[in-house]
Amino acid sequence: MASPRRLLIYDATRRDPLSLAWRSGAILYRGLFAIDAAFGARSWAEALAWLATVAPDHEIGEIQFWGHGKWGSALIGADVLDVAATRPGHPLHAALVAVRARLVGPDALWWWRTCETFGARDGQAFAVAWTRFLGCRAAGHTHVIAAWQSGLHVLAFGETPAWPTTEGLATGTPERPTSALPSRRTAPSTIHFLTRRLPR
């Protein structure tokens, strides 16, 4: 049987050093055999369409997204993906269903390498909704990430978040966050951007 694919999507809407870092990082990860294919997307519709059709003879074992995030969401440019996309009637719902059908099951991983996506109350709600909808694991961060990526947490299908809703918050409350802490080497659950696999 064909081996599951490890896929990377990154935000291709920007024209700045950060966008260059995402593109260069994708090339580096491909060269290190950490991923099997990468795609620079300009919208979530475009990203999900690629995930649903690339390497059609293979299942998907891992998806990483590199881009911007906020509490409980991830962005491609100004295009937001959040809990609403898991509900019937949302414009992205059918595409997400198609991606779900390609996953290997509970051991598959969707890794949000984005700022804050798993932070605060909305971040935890997003993590739960995502794992339950896709039936797989999800990983994400509670801090602003760069070379260091802090507040990494993994949630499996059927689990509930065990990390504090205050983790990574600089100002605001878990219900109304206003800013997040930057990542640093000594912060909780920190990895380097060159970390290609989830730590045990």
Side-chain angles (χ1 to χ4, degrees), residues 9-10 22 31 35 42 48 57-58 65-66 69 72 92 110 124-125 135 142 154 157 161 169 175 184 188:
I9 315 157
Y10 63 89
W22 290 329
I35 57 170
R42 303 188 67 80
L48 296 175
D57 296 331
H58 298 258
F65 173 65
W66 296 0
L92 297 175
W110 191 305
Q124 291 198 355
T142 58
V154 184
F157 173 67
L169 280 186
E175 292 72 27
R184 63 185 191 281

Side-chain angles (χ1 to χ4, degrees), residues 25-99:
I27 294 168
L28 175 62
Y29 265 46
R30 188 72 186 271
L32 293 171
F33 302 102
I35 57 170
D36 298 301
F39 179 67
R42 303 188 67 80
S43 70
W44 277 112
E46 189 177 64
L48 296 175
W50 181 78
L51 289 173
T53 56
V54 66
D57 296 331
H58 298 258
E59 293 181 301
I60 299 174
E62 179 178 329
I63 297 167
Q64 292 192 32
F65 173 65
W66 296 0
H68 285 298
K70 295 301 286 183
W71 302 280
S73 65
L75 298 91
I76 295 179
D79 194 14
V80 178
L81 181 69
D82 58 16
V83 169
T86 66
R87 300 175 186 139
H90 190 278
L92 297 175
H93 183 265
L96 274 178
V97 170
V99 174

Side-chain angles (χ1 to χ4, degrees), residues 175-196:
E175 292 72 27
R176 294 193 174 194
T178 52
S179 66
L181 294 169
S183 294
R184 63 185 191 281
R185 186 176 57 82
T186 56
S189 304
T190 297
I191 62 169
H192 194 266
F193 81 96
L194 286 175
T195 303
R196 304 187 295 277

Side-chain angles (χ1 to χ4, degrees), residues 66-142:
W66 296 0
H68 285 298
K70 295 301 286 183
W71 302 280
S73 65
L75 298 91
I76 295 179
D79 194 14
V80 178
L81 181 69
D82 58 16
V83 169
T86 66
R87 300 175 186 139
H90 190 278
L92 297 175
H93 183 265
L96 274 178
V97 170
V99 174
R100 180 177 65 188
R102 299 196 59 198
L103 298 175
V104 296
D107 289 333
L109 171 68
W110 191 305
W111 188 352
W112 300 101
R113 298 190 82 160
T114 53
C115 299
E116 307 156 34
T117 296
F118 273 17
R121 193 77 66 192
D122 285 345
Q124 291 198 355
F126 177 80
V128 170
W130 204 252
T131 55
R132 291 181 180 175
F133 177 79
L134 293 179
C136 71
R137 299 176 298 152
H141 299 265
T142 58

